[in-house]
Amino acid sequence: MNETQNSLGAYLKLHWKTAVFLVVLLIGIGLADIFVDSYMRRLLNLCAIYVIVSLAMNLVNGFTGQFSLGQAGFMAIGAYTVAIFTVPVESRTAIFYLEPMAPFLANIQLPFVVALILGGLASVVVAFFIGSPCLRLRGDYLAIATLGFSEIIRIVFTNTQSITNGALGIKSIPTISSLWWTYGTALLIIIATILLVYSSYGRAFKSIREDEIAAEAMGVGLFKTKMTSFLIGAFFTGIGGGLFAALLGTVDPKQFYFTLTYNFLLIIVLGGMGSISGTIIASFLVTLGQEALRFLDEPMAFGLDLPIFRPGLRMVVFSFLLMIIVLFYRKGLMGTNELTWDFMAQKFQSIKKKLSRKKTSTEGGGK
Amino acid sequence: MSLLRTENVIMQFGGVVAVNDLNINIKKGELAALIGPNGAGKTTAFNVITGVYTPTSGKVLFTPTDKSGTATEIDITGKKPDKITALGVARTFQNIRLFKELSVLENVQVATHLNTDYSFLSAILRTPKARKGEAQAKADCEFLLERLGLIDLRNEKASSLPYGQQRHLEIARALATKPQLLLLDEPAAGMNPQETDELTDLIFKLKTDFDLTIFMIEHHMDLVMEISDHIYVLDFGCTIAKGTPDEVQNNPKVIEAYLGVDADVED
Amino acid sequence: MKKPLSVLLSLALVVTMAAGCSSGTTTTSSGDSDVIKIGVFEPLTGANAAGGELEVEGVELANKLRPEVLGKKVELVIADNKSDKAEATTAAARLIEKDKVVAILGSWGSSLSIAAGDVVKTNQIPAVALSATNPQVTAGNDYYFRVCFLDPFQGTVMANYASKKLNAKKVAIIQEVSNDYSVGLAKFFTDSFVKLTGDPNAIVATGNYNTGDQDFNGILTNIKAANPDAIFAPGNFTESALIIKQARALGITAPFIGGDTWETNEFITVGGADVEGAVMSTFFDDTNPLTEAGKTFVAEYKKAYPDRENIAAVTALGYDGYMMTLDAIERAGSADPVAIRDALAATKDFEGATGMITIDANGDATKNEAIIKTVKDGKFTYMDSVTID
Amino acid sequence: MVVGMTMETFLQQLINGLSLGSLYALIAIGYTMVYGILRLINFAHGDIFMMAAYFTYFGIAVFFLPWYVTFIITIGLTILLGVTIERVAYRPLRDAPKTSLLISAIGVSFLLENVATYLFSGKPQAFPEFPLLTTPFFIGGLSIQPVSIVIPIVAFILMSALLFMINKTKLGMAMRAVAVDYDTAKLMGIKINGVISSTFAIGSALAAVGAILWCMKYPSVLPLMGVVPGLKCFIAAVIGGIGNVKGAVLGGLILGFSEVLMVAFFPALTGYRDAIAFVILIIILLFLPNGLLGKKQVEKV
């Protein structure tokens, strides 16, 4: 191995565009953090959380090819862990007013970061128990079993009054509003995912997606590898859930109905199963798009009182879009490609070529 | 010394006996071939050896040599395919099973995964150990691609390669697992005579250079007769003959069951 | 190998884009225009849509009657919180930041109001809950008020009714375990009923169900075996109507009693003949308005919706919430949110359609009167009004 | 915690379990048929069921058609819906990766739910009453609604008819052939599209019958009413061995009885009732991955 490649200088030389870009990105987040209003801030925070959870889902579904639908459940675990451990002790009696909090938890309060990581780890533990039976099974059973588990988690949280406060949920969770929490975490997770995907482990994930039998014949342990991916995904999702709880300041079991998972499914399908950059773009498009399409639910859209614009239309349009993508743009925005400098240069070249060809062809037609 | 032995292996699917009482004994360093008409159970035999199927009864025994040079016989019957591969058995597939969306290089790199000695955490953190491992694996893979004449295509998608090169890539990928025994399932299928000749040479060279033992299913009789040390003939799941190419060629059962009935198979 | 890190490009692009467009939108609406915007924060889709629509009707009716305050036009901005908490916080933030409302009304469903609580608190925009009866809505939040009574009060009312009017000694409870309202009300009822009867085992059976369940035969068969004098089943009207239907089919004859959420047309259409005689507590009765404002409201409602048979209590509360807020703006003499908050907190003896409203230190309406209604001939019919001190 | 369970209560619970289980069984058959042939979890099946309930509601309560006409129209429309879904959302993806097909199924389910919410509002509609079938009669302390007896009978008749069709008719043979080996069946000259469409037609018709009976017993119609029954019936099909009609019926009954009996014997756990289906699913998958009556599947290499 070449020694110089290890040094920072050499790395920067090789990836100077990326380095510059990262700096610009950080400055961008900093500026946004100072200047955006709280509505936009909330949306941007939500975008970052969606990036985290979708990326985790894509790691399992897109890169490893294991169709898992348990995102809502893992988010719930992360969210509740943060909620339970960060709610100020003094306000707990007021919140748990139907049944007091279980004594072994009632006086434990942890710093946000600790609770956040604990939430990720808790969801890893649960994922291990879910994964052990399910990851040995055929793919489509995994889908239904993870969906089922996510429902079980919700039902359990509804019924364990003294720990989760049941249907009442937990409120007064200390909130985060700075973009740095969510974007910082998202950035770390994106980088970790990139490094993972472009490592031997990432290639093992992809080989399973491509052909399980061949992967196994090449020495890739199916169960172990699937499990690694599943657990990492669960960890990230738990973290995403924890941030979600801290963003909203309140959690209750209904938030984690399994249809929540469909949001992330839409994102990874739109972005491209197996594309990190696609997932990131799609997370923003979907989250901001859902807000932007609000006018569809308002009867007075465009100043016309059209009866077709009424609550519910937005979701119809949304689910319709999902169908269109699945049926006609099966690979989503990016397929399994990434938005790298090379990729962009290539695209740019091909567009340029197309344009110039058009030009010549119209000229030719003119003669 | 025998490298791979099977003892009375029977593989049954419902009422169908695909492999019946298979007894093979492959010695270290030899090149053995498994022939027989279509549907004779050859690929099933491979699948049993590599762990894709667990045999209904019987044993598969493999004697790998470890780093210190000691050889121990291990019962690999019903072990998971990846465990068997890790012990030193690699294979190619009759109907080509490449990782289509991955690049040529990545295809081969996947096969080095079983030799990674760092955790996924060090992979994420890119620890010196992980970097070193990755670089080493990459270098190994590039070396293999060089040997199989695919180095210039390393960044192409596997699915975009022409058929013959896909077969080469399958071999490169199998070699990257650092096998002691290589199972080739019809490596020359679909190749023209010239390509077949080249492949024959290549297999021979690889065998010596990588110190391999090869077990091969093949329909091209020229190839089989030219390079095999030992041949097993399967028909309807049963071993009807075994021996050197000469012995097999002159075995009346083989001529009747195989060559006699389906003579144009040699093309 | 490609340069994987450059993947991050997309992230920056969109962040800067988003930051760009947000700064564009915020500057457009200015503070000193000639309209005062009030946000209506209600579920118009999802599980709570029916309740949300009824409240919006009340708010819109009130807005029609009193479209101006301080010489400025009042504009309602209706935001759908989709019966979903995550949407709720975004919707509330949107009303405040994007639409620049000075006050918010809503939402049906306590948990949605609770979710919005932090948003209104940190942005210092007053909010008035209309029918959210959970104590948590206003607890520890200086910016949330309400015009309805609370669950502990309602639970006590129904326990009194069961004990005194029905002479019940043993009661069975069926609660919607995934619904905070239902669980809370069941708990307050239990406490109060046990105290009234002095019998710690007065609750003879408890059944739990989840929102959306349709089969209750299992729970009801257990309850039938326990043979209670009455069954308290607060919860969503759909499930409650099915519960009563199935109970009657099983031959359970004990009377069913419940809370304010039952008072919807769907309860009667789904329940049919079987919900006859079901008893519930509620905020308002259109045949017996308690105040002059109540009479005006009923008259105007009948004018606006001539084909409606009865008026939901939550519609009256929607009306009250709007009127009380406008009253506070007038008293504050400005459309400054903090001034409105202070005026709301100082509300005393405001005459609403549902009674006289005084806001206490918690931000709750002190109401000591509840209406008891029953279903008679397919209509919600006034039975009694109960006062508890 | 069993509070003095009497024989009467127990029998009543058994009746409850039988009628609920039979309803699950009817819907589960539709899942099993589609899975048997396409190897696809038809996520939209529960929503097809929901649409059938709306068709019946509109026929009787809005257009005042006689019930028998409505039932025929409902079954017809539901078949049309099911076949259309297959045509539009599944057929173009038949050669695509499994995941795409599964996502498409989820998409259809999501779309139907949202369209129904948009068109019919989230409010429940009251399903018309059928006093003849719902007025209970009493045997001792037992209360029995006639519909509770009709449901298992209908389920049994339909199952038998279906088994006859699958085993004895030409279409049934074609279905079995497609289920075993899609490509070979094609080579044998079987019209794959026709067979698959028929499968969806039969599955949807069963969903329609299930919806009508369901609504007679639980008379409210909602856009999301198909979600939970849909999931549970899929689980019922897996428990019995997916792809197997008898298995679906068995699974449905097991699920119905387990739910009701859990409520009967452990009243304190009633809040966990919806979880029981998933718990059984996991246990079955762990110990009998092919379900109770399913066959082992061997993957071709």
Side-chain angles (χ1 to χ4, degrees):
Chain A
M1 181 166 175
N2 195 341
E3 265 310 309
T4 50
Q5 251 186 314
N6 259 335
S7 72
L8 186 68
Y11 190 83
L12 282 181
K13 209 170 184 180
L14 205 63
H15 299 291
W16 66 271
K17 281 186 215 155
T18 309
V20 168
F21 167 77
L22 264 176
V23 172
V24 172
L25 178 75
L26 291 176
I27 294 171
I29 297 173
L31 287 177
D33 193 43
I34 298 166
F35 291 111
V36 298
D37 58 42
S38 81
Y39 164 67
M40 201 61 208
R41 180 186 299 274
R42 189 168 285 277
L43 270 184
L44 287 177
N45 272 323
L46 207 57
C47 288
I49 292 171
Y50 271 40
V51 167
I52 294 171
V53 179
S54 311
L55 211 52
M57 189 174 190
N58 209 348
L59 186 66
V60 180
N61 295 40
F63 284 99
T64 322
Q66 303 306 300
F67 204 70
S68 149
L69 292 173
Q71 302 312 104
F74 294 130
M75 270 183 91
I77 295 171
Y80 266 96
T81 312
V82 165
I84 290 168
F85 288 111
T86 62
V87 163
V89 171
E90 59 273 16
S91 52
R92 289 186 189 183
T93 9
I95 294 166
F96 288 74
Y97 66 95
L98 285 186
E99 197 175 310
M101 201 174 189
F104 69 95
L105 288 172
N107 292 311
I108 305 174
Q109 190 180 348
L110 300 173
F112 175 60
V113 183
V114 178
L116 193 62
I117 292 171
L118 201 64
L121 293 177
S123 98
V124 168
V125 171
V126 174
F128 179 78
F129 286 107
I130 300 174
S132 305
C134 296
L135 290 171
R136 292 180 201 278
L137 300 170
R138 280 207 311 276
D140 37 8
Y141 281 6
L142 180 71
I144 206 86
T146 44
L147 194 79
F149 255 108
S150 132
E151 280 294 277
I152 292 179
I153 289 167
R154 192 177 60 83
I155 293 168
V156 168
F157 282 0
T158 307
N159 285 281
T160 46
Q161 189 80 37
S162 66
I163 298 171
T164 60
N165 209 18
L168 292 131
I170 297 175
K171 70 161 198 166
S172 302
I173 304 163
T175 49
I176 46 164
S177 68
S178 161
L179 292 177
W180 288 112
W181 274 114
T182 50
Y183 281 83
T185 317
L187 215 54
L188 284 179
I189 285 178
I190 293 168
I191 292 172
T193 310
I194 294 170
L195 292 172
L196 181 68
V197 164
Y198 287 91
S199 77
S200 182
Y201 287 86
R203 284 188 295 270
F205 295 165
K206 287 187 259 183
S207 74
I208 290 179
R209 170 189 75 197
E210 295 294 316
D211 189 331
E212 287 201 2
I213 289 166
E216 208 175 12
M218 292 310 126
V220 176
L222 289 187
F223 180 68
K224 199 177 154 197
T225 312
K226 286 179 190 175
M227 189 59 114
T228 310
S229 158
F230 192 59
L231 295 186
I232 297 172
F235 182 73
F236 290 168
T237 312
I239 299 271
L243 290 168
F244 190 60
L247 176 68
L248 299 186
T250 154
V251 289
D252 82 30
K254 271 191 214 141
Q255 286 166 267
F256 303 102
Y257 201 58
F258 71 87
T259 42
L260 176 67
T261 304
Y262 291 174
N263 282 337
F264 307 114
L265 184 67
L266 172 64
I267 288 172
I268 62 171
V269 171
L270 175 65
M273 302 270 274
S275 169
I276 296 171
S277 34
T279 304
I280 298 169
I281 297 168
S283 298
F284 279 86
L285 283 179
V286 169
T287 318
L288 298 176
Q290 273 188 337
E291 272 304 295
L293 289 178
R294 261 183 199 282
F295 73 89
L296 293 173
D297 279 357
E298 290 162 9
M300 292 298 291
F302 310 122
L304 299 164
D305 201 355
L306 289 175
I308 54 162
F309 290 100
R310 60 188 151 98
L313 182 61
R314 187 163 64 116
M315 289 318 285
V316 172
V317 169
F318 229 65
S319 36
F320 198 70
L321 283 177
L322 175 65
M323 285 312 297
I324 300 281
I325 298 164
V326 174
L327 291 175
F328 302 107
Y329 304 97
R330 210 178 302 158
K331 298 205 151 167
L333 289 171
M334 299 294 299
T336 53
N337 296 314
E338 294 295 357
L339 202 60
T340 54
W341 299 119
D342 293 347
F343 180 80
M344 285 190 293
Q346 258 173 34
K347 278 275 146 176
F348 183 69
Q349 286 298 333
S350 74
I351 289 169
K352 219 165 104 182
K353 231 183 241 165
K354 243 183 228 164
L355 283 178
S356 62
R357 203 179 301 143
K358 221 178 232 170
K359 224 177 185 178
T360 49
S361 73
T362 43
E363 275 168 11
K367 272 180 191 172
Chain B
M1 189 192 66
S2 86
L3 182 66
L4 180 82
R5 286 195 298 136
T6 63
E7 284 180 2
N8 313 319
V9 164
I10 296 173
M11 185 69 224
Q12 227 173 326
F13 296 106
V16 184
V17 183
V19 171
N20 195 3
D21 204 20
L22 182 71
N23 285 290
I24 49 177
N25 189 344
I26 294 167
K27 296 208 165 53
K28 194 168 162 55
E30 75 174 355
L31 197 159
L34 185 61
I35 62 169
N38 284 325
K42 303 181 299 282
T43 298
T44 307
F46 266 30
N47 284 337
V48 169
I49 295 168
T50 53
V52 177
Y53 299 146
T54 304
T56 318
S57 69
K59 267 186 184 171
V60 184
L61 300 154
F62 181 59
T63 317
T65 310
D66 64 17
K67 273 178 199 150
S68 62
T70 39
T72 356
E73 188 167 72
I74 301 170
D75 186 349
I76 59 168
T77 326
K79 272 196 197 296
K80 290 257 172 219
D82 58 297
K83 295 277 182 293
I84 294 174
T85 307
L87 286 171
V89 182
R91 72 176 291 182
T92 65
F93 292 91
Q94 179 187 359
N95 46 350
I96 305 186
R97 283 178 168 268
L98 290 169
F99 308 121
K100 295 196 181 87
E101 288 287 310
L102 303 190
S103 74
V104 168
L105 178 62
E106 280 177 315
N107 262 278
V108 186
Q109 279 175 308
V110 166
T112 63
H113 181 67
L114 70 130
N115 292 319
T116 48
D117 52 356
Y118 47 92
S119 72
F120 75 89
L121 269 178
S122 13
I124 291 176
L125 297 172
R126 289 285 193 270
T127 58
K129 192 177 181 190
R131 282 156 173 267
K132 211 175 148 196
E134 284 272 322
Q136 183 63 51
K138 194 176 170 199
D140 290 352
C141 293
E142 278 171 341
F143 172 69
L144 283 173
L145 288 177
E146 187 88 60
R147 280 302 308 263
L148 285 139
L150 294 167
I151 192 71
D152 296 333
L153 301 166
R154 65 185 141 186
N155 290 327
E156 300 295 317
K157 261 190 191 173
S159 55
S160 68
L161 296 191
Y163 187 77
Q165 283 173 327
Q166 291 198 6
R167 289 233 172 260
H168 279 95
L169 180 53
E170 277 235 331
I171 296 174
R173 192 176 65 169
L175 288 175
T177 67
K178 300 191 174 155
Q180 298 177 30
L181 174 66
L182 179 63
L183 305 181
L184 300 173
D185 197 344
E186 298 197 30
M191 290 188 177
N192 62 32
Q194 193 207 334
E195 285 171 333
T196 310
D197 280 350
E198 284 168 17
L199 185 78
T200 314
D201 288 349
L202 182 70
I203 291 175
F204 222 81
K205 271 188 199 141
L206 292 175
K207 181 172 168 292
T208 2
D209 293 356
F210 289 92
D211 194 17
L212 288 171
T213 307
I214 292 177
F215 190 27
M216 169 172 82
I217 296 175
E218 191 45 70
H219 276 305
H220 286 72
M221 282 308 138
D222 295 349
L223 195 156
V224 171
M225 296 304 165
E226 190 186 331
I227 64 175
S228 306
D229 298 316
H230 240 93
I231 296 176
Y232 294 85
V233 188
L234 236 54
D235 195 17
F236 293 109
C238 301
T239 321
I240 54 170
K242 50 182 153 184
T244 60
D246 279 345
E247 286 165 5
V248 168
Q249 247 167 337
N250 300 321
N251 187 316
K253 266 193 193 161
V254 177
I255 296 167
E256 183 199 321
Y258 185 10
L259 301 172
V261 178
D262 199 2
D264 56 306
V265 88
E266 278 186 48
D267 298 333
Chain C
M1 186 152 156
K2 290 177 188 170
K3 287 163 249 172
L5 277 179
S6 57
V7 166
L8 296 163
L9 171 81
S10 45
L11 187 64
L13 257 181
V14 198
V15 169
T16 37
M17 225 174 67
C21 54
S22 88
S23 61
T25 50
T26 46
T27 47
T28 48
S29 50
S30 50
D32 58 354
S33 61
D34 49 354
V35 283
I36 291 177
K37 287 185 178 177
I38 294 183
V40 184
F41 168 68
E42 291 288 351
L44 299 174
T45 49
N48 302 346
E53 276 172 37
L54 289 173
E55 289 193 359
V56 172
E57 273 177 13
V59 174
E60 283 178 335
L61 186 69
N63 177 246
K64 220 160 65 186
L65 286 183
R66 192 174 172 188
E68 286 186 1
V69 68
L70 304 175
K72 290 180 184 174
K73 194 174 172 295
V74 178
E75 188 187 317
L76 295 177
V77 185
I78 298 172
D80 178 16
N81 59 36
K82 286 186 64 191
S83 317
D84 176 281
K85 273 185 156 181
E87 292 275 346
T89 52
T90 322
R94 193 171 93 116
L95 283 175
I96 295 168
E97 290 288 347
K98 206 152 163 263
D99 299 317
K100 302 284 175 197
V101 299
V102 297
I104 290 175
L105 304 175
S107 155
W108 200 96
S110 295
S111 61
L112 298 167
S113 303
I114 293 172
D118 280 323
V119 180
V120 302
K121 193 175 166 185
T122 44
N123 288 290
Q124 304 195 315
I125 299 290
V128 178
L130 307 172
S131 67
T133 48
N134 191 309
Q136 293 279 300
V137 174
T138 53
N141 192 336
D142 291 339
Y143 280 83
Y144 235 114
F145 301 90
R146 83 176 104 208
V147 290
C148 56
F149 52 60
L150 276 72
D151 286 337
F153 173 74
Q154 192 171 194
T156 313
V157 167
M158 290 323 281
N160 269 294
Y161 176 82
S163 164
K164 292 182 180 148
K165 294 272 160 66
L166 294 175
N167 283 320
K169 299 273 172 285
K170 294 184 294 174
V171 168
I173 287 182
I174 303 177
Q175 59 179 353
E176 189 178 343
V177 73
S178 50
N179 179 344
D180 48 351
Y181 160 83
S182 175
V183 177
L185 202 48
K187 165 82 172 162
F188 298 124
F189 177 92
T190 306
D191 290 350
S192 179
F193 191 73
V194 167
K195 217 196 260 166
L196 282 168
T197 53
D199 175 10
N201 299 317
I203 306 298
V204 287
T206 308
N208 297 328
Y209 66 92
N210 279 297
T211 317
D213 280 2
Q214 291 185 307
D215 174 65
F216 307 97
N217 286 309
I219 304 173
L220 288 166
T221 304
N222 286 341
I223 286 176
K224 188 184 178 189
N227 196 22
D229 301 325
I231 301 168
F232 185 56
N236 233 341
F237 47 83
T238 321
E239 288 86 347
S240 301
L242 286 177
I243 288 173
I244 299 175
K245 263 189 114 59
Q246 289 171 27
R248 298 297 178 239
L250 279 170
I252 296 174
T253 50
F256 270 90
I257 52 182
D260 60 284
T261 46
W262 281 7
E263 205 195 355
T264 55
N265 285 324
E266 284 74 16
F267 182 70
I268 291 176
T269 52
V270 173
D274 290 322
V275 297
E276 283 289 308
V279 174
M280 71 224 70
S281 60
T282 185
F283 314 96
F284 176 71
D285 176 54
D286 53 346
T287 58
N288 276 319
L290 300 165
T291 59
E292 279 306 310
K295 284 176 193 150
T296 323
F297 165 70
V298 171
E300 289 297 332
Y301 187 89
K302 296 232 157 115
K303 229 191 277 171
Y305 304 96
D307 51 339
R308 297 285 175 85
E309 284 187 1
N310 46 28
I311 309 174
V314 294
T315 308
L317 289 169
Y319 180 91
D320 279 2
Y322 177 85
M323 288 302 189
M324 187 175 95
T325 308
L326 253 63
D327 174 64
I329 296 175
E330 199 164 37
R331 279 187 287 115
S334 98
D336 171 52
V338 178
I340 298 175
R341 189 222 84 90
D342 294 341
L344 275 171
T347 302
K348 200 163 181 285
D349 293 328
F350 171 77
E351 188 189 309
T354 59
M356 303 305 278
I357 299 169
T358 298
I359 298 294
D360 69 9
N362 286 329
D364 295 325
T366 46
K367 283 183 167 176
N368 56 5
E369 196 169 58
I371 309 278
I372 307 257
K373 281 192 187 176
T374 186
V375 179
K376 205 174 149 193
D377 304 326
K379 280 179 190 162
F380 293 105
T381 315
Y382 176 82
M383 256 179 95
D384 204 358
S385 64
V386 183
T387 314
I388 290 174
D389 296 310
Chain D
M1 179 174 107
V2 184
V3 250
M5 162 112 39
T6 59
M7 197 59 201
E8 185 188 298
T9 309
F10 184 66
L11 282 177
Q12 183 77 59
Q13 294 288 26
L14 284 186
I15 295 169
N16 298 338
L18 178 66
S19 66
L20 182 65
S22 310
L23 279 173
Y24 284 161
L26 269 180
I27 307 169
I29 296 175
Y31 268 115
T32 249
M33 291 195 58
V34 170
Y35 192 91
I37 289 189
L38 278 188
R39 297 276 176 273
L40 163 74
I41 302 175
N42 185 9
F43 266 89
H45 195 67
D47 302 290
I48 293 175
F49 161 86
M50 173 272 293
M51 291 303 284
Y54 271 104
F55 294 149
T56 319
Y57 162 76
F58 276 104
I60 297 179
V62 178
F63 297 114
F64 303 108
L65 298 172
W67 61 269
Y68 46 90
V69 179
T70 306
F71 288 178
I72 293 169
I73 293 178
T74 297
I75 295 176
L77 284 177
T78 314
I79 290 177
L80 192 68
L81 178 68
V83 172
T84 312
I85 288 173
E86 191 273 323
R87 211 38 200 272
V88 175
Y90 301 159
R91 193 175 294 177
L93 296 175
R94 212 174 281 160
D95 297 319
K98 258 294 150 46
T99 324
S100 302
L101 204 56
L102 205 55
I103 295 169
S104 186
I106 293 175
V108 171
S109 154
F110 201 41
L111 181 66
L112 284 178
E113 284 163 22
N114 287 322
V115 166
T117 310
Y118 175 70
L119 291 179
F120 315 133
S121 94
K123 291 185 205 168
Q125 307 293 349
F127 194 78
E129 301 239 12
F130 292 84
L132 197 67
L133 288 173
T134 51
T135 316
F137 58 88
F138 293 87
I139 305 174
L142 284 187
S143 142
I144 301 168
Q145 282 180 303
V147 67
S148 304
I149 300 171
V150 171
I151 291 169
I153 294 174
V154 171
F156 184 77
I157 292 173
L158 289 178
M159 180 191 82
S160 312
L162 206 59
L163 283 176
F164 175 82
M165 204 258 343
I166 290 173
N167 291 319
K168 300 280 148 84
T169 64
K170 222 175 151 191
L171 176 63
M173 208 126 70
M175 281 178 175
R176 279 184 293 150
V178 177
V180 172
D181 194 329
Y182 181 88
D183 293 319
T184 314
K186 208 167 171 179
L187 291 176
M188 296 301 193
I190 292 173
K191 291 196 180 79
I192 303 273
N193 286 338
V195 172
I196 291 176
S197 292
S198 318
T199 311
F200 271 86
I202 294 169
S204 306
L206 286 165
V209 175
I212 292 169
L213 291 171
W214 183 282
C215 289
M216 283 181 181
K217 199 155 167 56
Y218 311 116
S220 76
V221 187
L222 276 162
L224 298 179
M225 66 182 286
V227 176
V228 173
L231 277 176
K232 286 186 182 168
C233 294
F234 174 76
I235 292 171
V238 174
I239 293 172
I242 194 138
N244 183 311
V245 173
K246 277 188 218 159
V249 174
L250 181 67
L253 289 174
I254 289 178
L255 199 58
F257 278 114
S258 336
E259 283 192 0
V260 169
L261 292 181
M262 183 181 93
V263 173
F265 286 105
F266 306 102
L269 296 182
T270 48
Y272 291 98
R273 175 175 163 166
D274 284 347
I276 201 180
F278 296 108
V279 172
I280 298 179
L281 173 75
I282 303 297
I283 295 172
I284 288 276
L285 290 185
L286 263 179
F287 296 104
L288 285 167
N290 301 299
L292 293 170
L293 302 179
K295 284 196 207 90
K296 198 175 178 227
Q297 280 162 344
V298 179
E299 193 154 0
K300 270 185 120 179
V301 179

